[in-house]
Amino acid sequence: MIAVQNVAGTKVAVLGLGRSGRATVRALQQGGATVVVWDDGVPARVQAEADGLEVRDLSKSRSWDGVTMLVTSPGIPHLYPQPHPAIAAAWAAGVPVDNDIGLFFRSFATPDWDSFDNQPKVVTVTGSNGKSTTSALIHYILAESGRPAQLAGNIGRGVLDIEPARDGEVVVLELSSYQTDLARALTPDLAVFTNLSPDHLDRHGGLGGYFAAKRRLFAEGGPDRAVIGVDEDEGRYLANQLSEGPGDDRVIQVSSGAKLEGAAWAVFARKGFLAEWRKGRQVASVDLRGIKGLPGAHNHQNACAAWAVARSLGLGPKAIEAAMQSYPGLPHRSQRIAEANGVAYVNDSKATNVDSAVKALQAFQKIRWICGGLEKEGGLGPLVPHLGSVVKAYVIGREAAGFARQLPGIETEICTTMERAVGRAVAEAQAGETVLLAPAAASFDQYDNFEQRGDDFVAQVRARIS
C-alpha cells in the first residue's frame, strides 16, 4: 500500500468505491486522513457503512464542510458529456479534484529512497490500443531479467495498492485517458505512447480532447525519455514536439511497418523482424514471427515499444529476446486458447473497437470471425477493407442483424449468442483456419465486461473440442 502523503489531519472525500476507489480510501487512511465517501450504487454505500466509513451524498453543498480534496474514480465523468453532480459540487465549493494517479505520483517517493543504491523508476504506458500488452510485456521482461518490478494502473492492481518501492525497482503503469486527463501530478521517468484511434469520444468531447488527455502525460509529465509510436499523425506530432532535433535520443520512435533509419534512436518492425537503430546504424535485430504470445503486426508494435523501454533501462538485447520468446500473452488479447484438428482458437475479446479488430483480422489468415456487440460511435466502415481473410462472420449481440448489414462482401450468420456462434464456427471450421473472437464492439449489451465475454468464448470452445 502507498500511503498518501501530506493529508494527515485533513478530511478527504472519495467518489466511487470500485477497485481503485477502495484502494484510495485505504491509502488515504494510512496517510492519516479522515475519509468520507459516496458511490451511486446502493450496495457499495451499504458496504462502506458496514466498513465504518462515513457516507455523504457529495452532490449536496452541505456535504463539503471541512473537506479539503475530492478524489474521484476514473470511470466517473468529470467534464464530458457532463460532470458528475458531486464533481460539480466540489467545483462550487472550491475543493480541488484529483484521482488516484495524481495521489500516487505525489506520494510514491519517500525518505527511504535516500538509502537506495539505485533510485526506483516509473514507466507509464498510454495510447488507444496495445497498452495492456505493452505494459505486461515490459513487466515480464524485467521480471525474467531479475529486475524487481510491479505492474499496476489500468491493469492488475490499483496504483495505490502496490507495495512501497524497493531499491532499483521499476513500476510499470498502464494509464488510460480517463486516468491521465485529471491527475494533478504526472511525473514518469519513462513514458510510452502506443498509437491513437477514435475511442471514448463522448468522454473527451471529441478526438482532439481524447488526444489531449494522453498528451498530458508527456507535455506536463516531462519524462526523461519518451517512447512514441509514430504510425499516426498524432504520434508524429508528439515525437516532434518532444524532440530538440534529429540527434535527440531522448525520444525513441517506434513503428510497425515503417523503416525509421533517420531517427536518433528507433525501434521498428517490418515483415516480422524487429530492428533497433541508433545514430544511423542497426544495433540489434530479432525475428518476432515465431513468438506465439505476440502474433500480428499490432503485437510487433507492442514488442518494439517494450524493447525500447527495456533498452532504456539498461537491459541487453539477448536478455530481452529470451524473455519475449517465453512471453505467454495476456488473456483476451490475441490469446491462443486451443488448437484442435488443425484449427486454432483465438480470444481477442479486448478488441472492443474497430481499430483493434482490424489489427486482429490482419494477424491471421482464413478466419471464422465471431463479432458483434454494442456498436461504438463511427460505424464499421473502416473494417470493410480488411475483411479479405474472413471466411465467414458469426455475429453476436442484441443488434446482430444491424451489425451484419455493415459487413458487405462476406458470408455472415446471425447467431446472437456466443453459444450458437461458437457451435457453428467449430462445426464448420477446417484445418488451417482460425476461429477468432474479435468483436469490434463493446460487451455491455450481453456481458458485464469484455473479460466475461472472453471467458464465455473460452468456455464454449473448450466444451466443444475437449
Side-chain angles (χ1 to χ4, degrees), residues 161-212:
D161 204 29
I162 68 172
E163 301 303 318
R166 295 170 287 175
D167 192 335
E169 186 167 46
V170 178
V171 172
V172 184
L173 302 181
E174 178 195 339
L175 298 182
S176 71
S177 58
Y178 292 2
Q179 294 170 308
T180 59
D181 196 19
L182 188 63
R184 285 176 168 253
L186 290 167
T187 55
D189 297 286
L190 288 90
V192 179
F193 177 85
T194 58
N195 49 59
L196 195 87
S197 61
D199 207 357
H200 308 306
L201 301 187
D202 60 335
R203 177 67 183 266
H204 296 291
L207 185 60
Y210 177 50
F211 176 53

Side-chain angles (χ1 to χ4, degrees), residues 128-129 131 177-178 197-202 210 349-357 372-383 399 403 406 439-445 450 453:
S128 295
N129 299 303
K131 299 187 298 296
S177 58
Y178 292 2
S197 61
D199 207 357
H200 308 306
L201 301 187
D202 60 335
Y210 177 50
S349 185
K350 186 61 170 66
T352 59
N353 59 40
V354 167
D355 188 66
S356 55
L374 189 62
E375 188 179 331
K376 292 191 174 181
E377 184 179 351
L380 304 180
L383 273 171
E399 303 297 330
F403 196 100
Q406 300 181 66
S443 59
F444 305 124
D445 59 333
F450 73 84
R453 176 173 60 190

Side-chain angles (χ1 to χ4, degrees), residues 281-345:
R281 66 184 185 91
Q282 183 173 306
V283 297
S285 178
V286 176
D287 185 353
L288 300 173
R289 295 172 298 175
I291 302 178
K292 291 186 176 181
L294 297 167
H298 62 303
N299 275 312
H300 294 173
Q301 184 192 51
N302 300 334
C304 289
W307 179 282
V309 169
R311 293 286 280 146
S312 296
L313 293 171
L315 275 64
K318 290 184 178 179
I320 302 171
E321 180 180 3
M324 284 184 172
Q325 291 291 345
S326 62
Y327 176 65
L330 279 178
H332 314 297
R333 297 162 177 86
S334 295
Q335 177 192 16
R336 192 183 185 97
I337 59 168
E339 184 170 340
N341 301 319
V343 178
Y345 295 87

Side-chain angles (χ1 to χ4, degrees), residues 402-450:
F403 196 100
R405 283 195 293 270
Q406 300 181 66
L407 304 174
I410 62 170
E411 182 182 357
T412 61
E413 181 173 337
I414 309 303
C415 296
T416 307
T417 67
M418 185 70 73
E419 180 179 14
R420 177 168 175 79
V422 172
R424 295 290 295 149
V426 171
E428 296 182 348
Q430 300 177 21
E433 295 180 344
T434 297
V435 175
L436 170 68
L437 170 65
S443 59
F444 305 124
D445 59 333
Q446 293 181 309
Y447 301 94
D448 290 340
N449 48 54
F450 73 84

